[in-house]
Amino acid sequence: MDITSRQVADRTVVHLDGRLDVTSAKVFEDFMLDLIGKASSDIVVDMSGVHYVASSGLRALTVAAKKANASGRKLSLSNLHANVREVFDISGFSSVFMIV
Amino acid sequence: MVPDTEVVSRFKVPATLDAIGAIQAAVEEAAEGVLAPAAVFKLTMSIEELVTNIVTYGKAEGTDIGVVITATTASLSVELDDAGVAFDPFHQAPEPRLNESVEDRAIGGLGVFLVREMVDEVAYHRSAERNHIRLVMLRPTAKSDGTAP
């Protein structure tokens, strides 16, 4: 899993490339918590490079979203692939995350 | 007519998180040309969820997970057996609370819930002091008209 972030206008865009699985979820979660602690802008997680997500990945996203919300920031997800979108739909996460 | 069953692969792997990748690779190879890519994703993700539970909660350190992959004209099946504590994930895992907001949501049993939703047939039994989990994905032709080709 490669994780990069860049500032685009008034938002921070986090790009993920790889599998969001039990191995990478903790790394991703730590990255996001660190970013939310430092950044003051809203955050978009670009999922275009993610073709595989497991519940551990959903859990990491939830932790990040809770922290973002608690600090007055919005966290949204973009460019979900069909397989990944289906996991979000089945788990009910499509309604609890902002998906753009 | 009962479809002929072919054992595609049978092996054991140590009960660690490294087992996930090993089993997924074998399933992906067995599913090549048999299942649609979306079905392969659902099956491999389900293996991650179940093996993670075995390794994390099953107290199965130092033991092996047995894997048998079988194919019929109608389906591809994966059977996992482990020496962890007796646990039927399909009946004993807590139900996730799917309608809560991000702030309120506690993730309990979400992995198993996803497995039940994504895999065509799931089964559990306990025998010889091992848990046996069976996952079945129907092949597209079998799923569309309900009969084996």
Side-chain angles (χ1 to χ4, degrees), chain B residues 65-114:
Chain B
I65 297 173
V67 183
V68 181
I69 304 172
T70 54
T72 72
T73 52
S75 66
L76 187 81
S77 302
V78 181
E79 295 181 41
L80 306 174
D81 64 88
D82 69 85
V85 294
F87 183 72
D88 176 355
F90 308 119
H91 292 96
Q92 291 177 254
E95 291 289 325
R97 292 176 289 178
L98 297 177
N99 295 320
E100 293 185 345
S101 68
V102 169
E103 289 75 17
D104 298 332
R105 180 179 280 233
I107 306 208
L110 179 59
V112 170
F113 174 82
L114 288 171

Side-chain angles (χ1 to χ4, degrees), chain A residues 54-94:
Chain A
S55 68
S56 47
L58 297 180
R59 187 178 297 114
L61 281 165
T62 305
V63 170
K66 283 182 179 178
K67 174 145 184 185
N69 286 354
S71 55
R73 249 80 55 68
K74 290 179 184 149
L75 186 151
S76 53
L77 310 176
S78 69
N79 300 319
L80 273 64
H81 284 283
N83 286 346
V84 174
R85 177 71 197 225
E86 189 172 0
V87 174
F88 276 75
D89 288 345
I90 291 172
S91 63
F93 274 67
S94 299

Side-chain angles (χ1 to χ4, degrees), chain B:
Chain B
M1 186 181 108
V2 178
D4 292 335
T5 300
E6 176 200 358
V7 175
V8 180
S9 182
R10 183 193 297 269
F11 58 96
K12 291 180 179 177
V13 284
T16 69
L17 290 181
D18 288 342
I20 296 168
I23 301 170
Q24 287 178 331
V27 168
E28 284 171 359
E29 186 177 337
E32 179 81 35
V34 175
L35 297 177
V40 177
F41 164 73
K42 291 175 181 176
L43 190 53
T44 54
M45 195 203 81
S46 297
I47 287 163
E48 169 168 342
E49 302 296 347
L50 295 167
V51 173
T52 299
N53 282 353
I54 291 168
V55 172
T56 308
Y57 306 113
K59 299 186 172 68
E61 301 88 356
T63 65
D64 287 336
I65 297 173
V67 183
V68 181
I69 304 172
T70 54
T72 72
T73 52
S75 66
L76 187 81
S77 302
V78 181
E79 295 181 41
L80 306 174
D81 64 88
D82 69 85
V85 294
F87 183 72
D88 176 355
F90 308 119
H91 292 96
Q92 291 177 254
E95 291 289 325
R97 292 176 289 178
L98 297 177
N99 295 320
E100 293 185 345
S101 68
V102 169
E103 289 75 17
D104 298 332
R105 180 179 280 233
I107 306 208
L110 179 59
V112 170
F113 174 82
L114 288 171
V115 173
R116 290 167 60 178
E117 292 294 315
M118 297 187 121
V119 174
D120 290 324
E121 296 173 23
V122 298
Y124 168 87
H125 75 274
R126 176 89 178 168
S127 69
E129 298 190 357
R130 293 182 74 89
N131 299 301
H132 295 259
I133 292 167
R134 179 178 165 85
L135 306 175
V136 182
M137 290 301 267
L138 301 179
R139 297 173 68 157
T141 46
K143 197 183 266 187
S144 60
D145 62 10
T147 58

Side-chain angles (χ1 to χ4, degrees), chain A residues 1-22:
Chain A
M1 163 70 69
D2 290 329
I3 311 171
T4 55
S5 68
R6 61 198 167 94
Q7 198 68 24
V8 179
D10 58 348
R11 296 182 305 179
T12 302
V13 177
V14 177
H15 181 79
L16 304 183
D17 194 12
R19 295 162 71 94
L20 195 48
D21 59 13
V22 68

